[in-house]
Amino acid sequence: MRFIYFFIIMLTMMFPYGSFANNKNINIPIILYHNLNPTVAGYMNITPEKFEANLKLLKDNGFTFIPLKEAVEYLQGKRDTLPPKPVVITADDGWESVYTYMYPIIKKFNIPVTLFIYPGAISSGKHFLSWEQLKELKNTGLFDIQGHTYSHPNFKITKKRLSPAAYEQFVQNELFTSKKILEDKMGIKVTLLAWPFGIYNDYLENEATKAGYVMAFTIGYHTANRGFKPMEQPRFMIVDKLDAQTYKIILDSATPKSKA
């Protein structure tokens, strides 16, 4: 799994970048974090101190933190404008460190965050959020809860292991059932999806649309814009060893190659 993430990171960071000013389309950096617990090993971990420094760097450079849903409305063409230099903060999986370490910093900066949650992890161990903690975060008004499948699968690997019929049922559970669980447990409407490992294809995109997701997010070191398909919007994933390089791309106002 680590190799998959690292390969995606290195591949996407090799693409050329331009400038916001050269594109009439608004480009939106959507930034992805995972675990902020400094006592848990993992190359995707970021210390709370570095996370806070990242937010301060964005703020000092004139970025405006906006809710992901506002970015989605713009990307869908439902709104024409956004604040200057918009940026979105997201966090995946449901690590307990969101409650322990991220929340105090988010409260200090008073910025919105979207949590992409896979229900199979919640209340499943000491390093993951409980349903009670997740509800408490939602009730602050700072955290929006959205979908990340049920068990965070690698769809490519799973498809090879299952029969076509079994795989179809598996996808139904990952996309449809997981969405209903989050909606029922949290009393919310889930309309956004983050692809585990950034893996998707036409079949998965179509099933996600049927399930009621209006936009989905992958991993790609590009800014989100209207040139990308709704189910393929990119996010900058922050990993410890590439933290500085990633933020240099963001601060340099990277512009993606459009898929349109």
Side-chain angles (χ1 to χ4, degrees):
M1 299 303 181
R2 175 174 176 172
F3 172 78
I4 293 171
Y5 271 132
F6 190 75
F7 177 77
I8 292 170
I9 291 167
M10 297 307 297
L11 182 63
T12 55
M13 290 184 79
M14 292 172 64
F15 286 103
Y17 301 97
S19 167
F20 279 128
N22 295 330
N23 194 331
K24 293 180 180 180
N25 187 13
I26 298 176
N27 291 273
I28 310 165
I30 301 176
I31 305 176
L32 161 60
Y33 290 91
H34 286 87
N35 188 11
L36 270 64
N37 188 332
T39 67
V40 177
Y43 86 108
M44 288 187 294
N45 292 9
I46 295 290
T47 65
E49 292 77 15
K50 185 172 284 189
F51 175 69
E52 183 168 357
N54 289 167
L55 298 185
K56 186 176 186 302
L57 183 65
L58 290 167
K59 185 176 180 181
D60 291 347
N61 279 272
F63 284 85
T64 305
F65 298 99
I66 66 170
L68 179 59
K69 287 183 176 180
E70 288 188 10
V72 169
E73 289 174 357
Y74 173 80
L75 295 170
Q76 291 176 315
K78 294 182 178 180
R79 63 188 300 158
D80 296 325
T81 62
L82 288 173
K85 296 182 74 172
V87 63
V88 175
I89 303 298
T90 69
D92 281 9
D93 300 345
W95 290 91
E96 194 272 343
S97 63
V98 171
Y99 183 88
T100 304
Y101 297 102
M102 181 180 280
Y103 173 45
I105 299 170
I106 292 303
K107 185 177 180 180
K108 176 181 176 180
F109 280 79
N110 191 36
I111 63 175
V113 175
T114 291
L115 303 179
F116 285 102
I117 300 297
Y118 67 98
I122 304 304
S123 292
S124 68
K126 67 178 182 179
H127 293 310
F128 286 97
L129 291 165
S130 66
W131 287 110
E132 291 73 23
Q133 289 172 324
L134 194 58
K135 289 174 183 177
E136 185 177 338
L137 290 173
K138 185 205 75 168
N139 290 338
T140 67
L142 294 173
F143 293 87
D144 179 41
I145 313 299
Q146 296 296 330
H148 197 29
T149 71
Y150 180 77
S151 65
H152 200 289
N154 182 314
F155 283 111
K156 288 184 178 179
I157 293 175
T158 304
K159 186 176 182 180
K160 293 177 181 178
R161 294 174 176 172
L162 299 177
S163 68
Y167 180 68
E168 181 178 344
Q169 184 58 49
F170 176 81
V171 170
Q172 294 289 308
N173 185 65
E174 293 294 331
L175 297 179
F176 289 76
T177 305
S178 64
K179 182 176 183 291
K180 187 176 189 308
I181 290 172
L182 279 178
E183 291 177 338
D184 291 347
K185 287 274 191 181
M186 303 301 296
I188 58 174
K189 185 67 175 177
V190 173
T191 59
L192 307 177
L193 174 69
W195 295 114
F197 306 106
I199 294 172
Y200 59 90
N201 56 33
D202 289 344
Y203 170 69
L204 292 171
E205 289 185 32
N206 290 335
E207 291 304 302
T209 301
K210 291 178 186 177
Y213 300 99
V214 301
M215 191 164 287
F217 302 86
T218 183
I219 301 166
Y221 284 65
H222 314 301
T223 49
N225 69 30
R226 291 176 179 174
F228 286 97
K229 293 180 180 179
M231 292 292 163
E232 301 176 11
Q233 288 290 347
R235 293 184 295 166
F236 292 89
M237 186 170 77
I238 305 301
V239 299
D240 187 47
K241 291 184 178 180
L242 296 177
D243 173 72
Q245 295 96 315
T246 303
Y247 265 89
K248 184 179 187 305
I249 294 170
I250 295 168
L251 295 179
D252 286 346
S253 303
T255 298
K257 283 186 173 181
S258 174
K259 292 187 177 181

